[in-house]
Amino acid sequence: MSLSRIATFVMSFIIGAVFGTAGTIGFSSGADLLHLGLILAFVGCLAILISLRILAEDRWAAIGGGIGMYLAVFLFSMRGPGGSVVVPDTGLSQVWLIGVGVIILIVAAWPDFRRIRSAAPARHEEPHSR
């Protein structure tokens, strides 16, 4: 593994941890019928993981971001030293915990279509003459 791939993985981990923290803190806001905070947290986490995967052109960047993201979600879900809990055990928080994991798995497991296209034989179309 090259030094640039390791640096990309570490930076993706940090970025994922920041977005995981922000989503964990903000997912319960707007807890009405639409659960706008949860939707925005999912969209933000999905967008950052997709952008990490596209920009780095590497599945490991998305995995690094996903590990950081889920670690932040997990740490904030535990009881703190003073007994405080950021994520209480509710149905909404269960959706958040499971949903983040599903988003990470989908982005990390999504196939790389560039390799599939490059492996396919090239089609040469004949120009139409009039």
Side-chain angles (χ1 to χ4, degrees):
M1 204 172 193
S2 69
L3 186 60
S4 66
R5 284 185 86 181
I6 293 171
T8 302
F9 184 86
V10 170
M11 289 304 296
S12 298
F13 177 86
I14 293 169
I15 292 169
V18 168
F19 270 78
T21 301
T24 301
I25 292 170
F27 84 92
S28 62
S29 64
D32 54 355
L33 184 62
L34 292 176
H35 298 295
L36 190 59
L38 182 67
I39 293 169
L40 290 175
F42 278 148
V43 169
C45 288
L46 179 65
I48 196 65
L49 289 176
I50 289 173
S51 65
L52 285 172
R53 176 133 185 215
I54 290 172
L55 290 173
E57 295 180 353
D58 189 13
R59 182 181 313 267
W60 286 101
I63 292 171
I67 291 171
M69 190 177 293
Y70 209 73
L71 187 63
V73 170
F74 177 73
L75 287 176
F76 281 108
S77 298
M78 296 175 62
R79 187 172 307 277
S84 63
V85 177
V86 175
V87 181
D89 190 16
T90 63
L92 188 65
S93 63
Q94 296 298 322
V95 170
W96 171 244
L97 292 171
I98 293 169
V100 169
V102 169
I103 286 173
I104 293 167
L105 289 174
I106 288 172
V107 173
W110 196 261
D112 188 3
F113 290 114
R114 287 175 290 139
R115 282 196 206 138
I116 294 171
R117 278 190 223 122
S118 65
R123 292 188 332 193
H124 296 287
E125 294 184 18
E126 296 293 325
H128 298 285
S129 58
R130 290 184 179 204

